Amino acid sequence: SSLVFSNPWERLVSGYKNKALEGSFTYIFKRPCEWLTRKMPKLTFKQFVTCILDRAKRPGKPLYSSEAAMELNEHWMPLYTLSVPCLVNYTLIADFEHFHNDTTEALRIFKFSATLTHRNPSKQDKSLSEWYDELDILMINDLKELYKNDFEVFAYDTTPPNFGKRQNANNTHSLEHPS
């Protein structure tokens, strides 16, 4: 068995771009918002994150709990819950940042001949930090808690992209629900 993991900050934006901007929620199990329907306009990234956090929050349970994670779709669910890396003896573990090198090596080890291509290139050209600039500090902190186990197990920095430049911006609005 194999496991490919990625930075939680990148994975959340990737799930948003792939499913919210370029795709449709009509076929997705556990949509980000329970009230989301086919006829609604596309969610902003901030609305998307608000929906995910609202859906994950369980009375008396921390956001990093397995109960919170199980409320989410696999595209933005914490990977730790989906893959249970401490319980499964994976043959291959790769990270998305080194995906080409890791898969090339795996193909060599298993004596496969193949050419790998990227099937889901993004049509958005916004930088990762621009996505997170849309969120307030409360949302960032909730995301850190939601993906706490992913940050720890897969050794990723909990600081969102470009966050150091924003820290002094005093961006502490309350969470907003889309209307």
Side-chain angles (χ1 to χ4, degrees):
S1 59
S2 62
L3 168 64
V4 178
F5 60 90
S6 61
N7 183 317
W9 300 117
E10 292 177 14
R11 190 163 173 260
L12 183 60
V13 170
S14 177
Y16 169 72
K17 291 191 302 187
N18 183 257
K19 301 300 174 206
L21 291 183
E22 299 167 7
S24 168
F25 290 122
T26 57
Y27 64 91
I28 291 183
F29 179 64
K30 294 187 180 174
R31 294 180 179 122
C33 308
E34 294 180 37
W35 45 262
L36 192 62
T37 67
R38 171 187 287 183
K39 296 177 184 175
M40 295 189 73
K42 299 217 182 271
L43 296 175
T44 66
F45 183 62
K46 186 173 184 173
Q47 291 169 329
F48 176 78
V49 170
T50 299
C51 288
I52 287 172
L53 292 171
D54 286 350
R55 187 169 191 130
K57 290 178 180 174
R58 299 282 135 234
K61 299 285 183 184
L63 275 169
Y64 60 84
S65 71
S66 59
E67 292 88 351
M70 296 310 285
E71 292 298 317
L72 303 176
N73 179 279
E74 66 209 27
H75 293 95
W76 41 84
M77 172 189 283
L79 194 56
Y80 178 84
T81 308
L82 202 61
S83 62
V84 288
C86 298
L87 300 177
V88 176
N89 185 15
Y90 289 102
T91 305
L92 172 68
I93 299 177
D95 70 41
F96 227 72
E97 289 79 14
H98 304 102
F99 186 74
H100 182 74
N101 292 341
D102 289 347
T103 52
T104 300
E105 181 63 12
L107 291 171
R108 186 191 66 74
I109 289 169
F110 296 121
K111 296 179 174 60
F112 287 121
S113 177
T115 303
L116 302 174
T117 59
H118 189 186
R119 291 178 41 193
N120 288 335
S122 175
K123 295 173 183 71
Q124 302 294 320
D125 56 4
K126 225 170 158 178
S127 73
L128 199 58
S129 62
E130 288 175 285
W131 292 107
Y132 288 99
D133 282 346
E134 297 176 21
L135 308 183
D136 61 51
I137 191 69
L138 297 173
M139 296 175 87
I140 295 292
N141 288 337
D142 281 350
L143 288 172
K144 285 181 183 182
E145 185 179 345
L146 178 64
Y147 293 104
K148 177 183 186 234
N149 292 326
D150 282 5
F151 289 124
E152 290 177 5
V153 171
F154 302 114
Y156 283 109
D157 186 356
T158 61
T159 306
N162 205 28
F163 190 69
K165 293 181 181 179
R166 294 182 50 217
Q167 275 182 311
N168 298 326
N170 195 19
N171 188 10
T172 58
H173 321 138
S174 62
L175 297 179
E176 297 174 19
H177 284 276
S179 304

